[in-house]
Every structure is written in structure tokens, then in C-alpha cells.
């Protein structure tokens, strides 16, 4: 294996393992020592790729967390078809698809927001960028739905977008408190009702 390939592989191992540890145990309580122990790499390997834990945290947000949100919640919003149905399938299907592990640990982005969103401007900007991209995708879809007369034109697309993001992230956090999906099922019923109410 070439040195550059080995270096990139090492960096990816640190990134992947850090994401898992941050997700399961929290960012603040996961030390560089814990990450190195989990990866079986040396501290030298860590500091060759990252100046400190803050830089690693930003890399996890921009490379791992952002990728998850894009794949699950943003990219599907740009497909063609009935805008209201796209909203419904994107939000409801995503919630129904989460394995127990994800339900128990919540949303990685929301976990970061709650844990470090008020600590550093750099974290705020990285997390806000994801939210703004998600919001922009929703507004584009809702505006299209209003033009195509599938979504009520009397409603603010920005307000709908922010509400949908906030409610989705909220239930992801609340579900961590429960051992069953009852609270999730109740949210799904409420979301289905809301989507019917915004129909044109």
C-alpha cells in the first residue's frame, strides 16, 4: 500500500471511529485517548491528521454528519413528483427506517447541536450550514408544490420548512427517553395530520 493511501486510510479510521464514539457517548466525554484506544492507533497518528479534538469534531460534522443528513433528508427532496408526497415519504419513511440503535442514540446532528452548539462559533457555523441547506431544499420543494397546487399557497414555505425540521429533530431526541416506539408512532400520526392540513 502506498504511503498516501495508508495515511488516508488511517484518517478515515479515526473519522469513522470518532463518529461512532461521539454518537454513543457524546462529544465532550470522548477523549483523544479513548479514540486512540478504540482505533488501536498511536497519538502520533492522530496528531499527524488533526491538530486537536476541535478540528476532529469539525471534520466529523462536515464529513460524516452532513453526509447522513444529505443522504437521508436533503437529496430526496430534489426528486421529481408530487411535492406533498415527497415531503411525506422523506420524513415518514426516514423515521420508520431507523434501526433500534439509531432510535436509542437519537440524531447525530441534534446531539452535536445540544452538546456543543453553544460552545464555539466554528461548531455553530458547521451545524448551521447543514440546517440551512436542509431548509433551502425544503423551501424549494414547498414553493414548487405551491406553484403546482399541491400545497396551500396561503402558507409560508419558510415557516413550514422550519417547523418540519424542528419537529423531526425534536422527536429524534425525545425518542431516546423511551424503550418503545409508541411516542414515535404518535408523532408520525401527528405529522401525517399536519401534512394533510397543508394540502392545497
Amino acid at each position: 500500500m502506498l504511503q498516501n493511501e495508508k495515511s488516508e486510510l488511517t484518517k478515515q479510521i479515526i473519522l469513522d471511529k470518532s463518529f461512532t464514539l461521539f454518537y454513543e457517548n457524546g462529544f465532550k466525554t470522548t477523549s483523544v485517548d479513548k479514540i486512540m484506544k478504540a482505533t488501536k492507533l498511536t497519538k502520533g497518528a492522530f496528531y499527524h491528521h488533526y491538530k486537536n479534538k476541535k478540528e476532529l469534531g469539525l471534520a466529523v460534522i462536515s464529513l460524516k454528519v452532513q453526509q447522513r443528513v444529505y443522504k437521508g433528508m436533503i437529496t430526496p427532496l430534489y426528486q421529481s413528483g408530487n411535492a406533498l408526497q415527497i415531503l411525506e415519504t422523506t420524513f415518514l419513511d426516514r423515521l420508520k427506517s431507523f434501526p433500534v440503535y439509531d432510535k436509542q442514540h437519537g440524531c447525530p446532528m441534534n446531539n452535536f447541536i445540544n452538546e456543543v452548539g453553544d460552545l464555539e462559533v466554528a461548531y455553530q457555523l458547521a451545524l448551521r450550514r447543514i440546517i440551512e441547506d436542509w431548509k433551502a431544499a425544503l423551501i424549494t420543494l414547498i414553493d414548487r408544490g405551491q406553484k403546482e397546487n399541491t400545497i396551500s399557497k396561503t402558507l409560508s414555505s419558510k415557516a413550514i420548512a422550519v417547523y418540519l425540521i424542528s419537529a423531526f429533530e425534536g422527536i429524534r431526541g425525545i425518542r431516546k427517553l423511551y424503550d418503545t416506539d409508541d411516542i414515535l408512532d404518535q408523532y408520525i400520526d401527528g405529522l401525517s395530520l399536519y401534512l394533510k392540513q397543508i394540502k392545497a
Side-chain angles (χ1 to χ4, degrees):
M1 185 184 290
L2 296 173
Q3 186 59 40
N4 282 352
E5 288 177 356
K6 188 177 179 184
S7 180
E8 279 306 307
L9 181 62
T10 299
K11 191 174 183 179
Q12 195 61 48
I13 289 168
I14 294 169
L15 198 64
D16 290 344
K17 186 53 74 173
S18 298
F19 171 79
T20 301
L21 290 172
F22 294 159
Y23 191 30
E24 292 178 352
N25 307 313
F27 178 76
K28 289 180 183 176
T29 59
T30 303
S31 64
V32 171
D33 284 338
K34 285 179 182 174
I35 294 166
M36 293 303 91
K37 188 177 178 183
T39 59
K40 298 181 173 60
L41 295 168
T42 63
K43 268 196 175 180
F46 176 87
Y47 289 110
H48 175 72
H49 295 288
Y50 301 101
K51 283 190 289 189
N52 48 42
K53 187 178 149 185
K54 177 186 171 183
E55 188 177 89
L56 172 64
L58 289 170
V60 167
I61 291 168
S62 62
L63 297 172
K64 300 291 288 183
V65 175
Q66 181 173 304
Q67 184 182 60
R68 272 180 64 118
V69 177
Y70 261 81
K71 184 179 176 183
M73 299 306 300
I74 296 176
T75 302
L77 299 174
Y78 286 107
Q79 62 188 305
S80 59
N82 182 297
L84 196 61
Q85 287 177 352
I86 291 168
L87 280 179
E88 187 172 3
T89 55
T90 300
F91 280 84
L92 297 182
D93 289 357
R94 182 72 173 149
L95 278 173
K96 291 173 184 175
S97 73
F98 286 121
V100 173
Y101 172 83
D102 283 11
K103 290 172 184 174
Q104 289 172 336
H105 293 93
C107 171
M109 179 177 66
N110 199 23
N111 292 350
F112 264 108
I113 290 169
N114 288 321
E115 197 176 1
V116 298
D118 62 340
L119 289 180
E120 287 268 359
V121 172
Y123 294 133
Q124 290 174 350
L125 291 175
L127 292 162
R128 195 187 306 159
R129 193 174 301 119
I130 302 170
I131 295 290
E132 287 300 318
D133 287 349
W134 190 4
K135 186 172 126 187
L138 280 166
I139 290 169
T140 299
L141 177 65
I142 295 159
D143 285 345
R144 177 165 71 78
Q146 289 175 328
K147 283 176 190 165
E148 294 170 356
N149 210 34
T150 57
I151 296 174
S152 173
K153 293 176 182 175
T154 63
L155 303 170
S156 161
S157 56
K158 289 179 183 176
I160 295 171
V162 171
Y163 175 77
L164 288 171
I165 292 170
S166 303
F168 183 86
E169 289 302 309
I171 197 61
R172 293 292 317 277
I174 291 168
R175 172 58 181 83
K176 293 193 290 185
L177 303 173
Y178 294 85
D179 296 327
T180 70
D181 281 343
D182 289 350
I183 195 82
L184 204 56
D185 293 338
Q186 290 157 13
Y187 168 81
I188 287 169
D189 288 345
L191 179 58
S192 298
L193 183 63
Y194 175 75
L195 292 174
K196 282 189 179 89
Q197 290 173 340
I198 67 170
K199 187 176 180 180

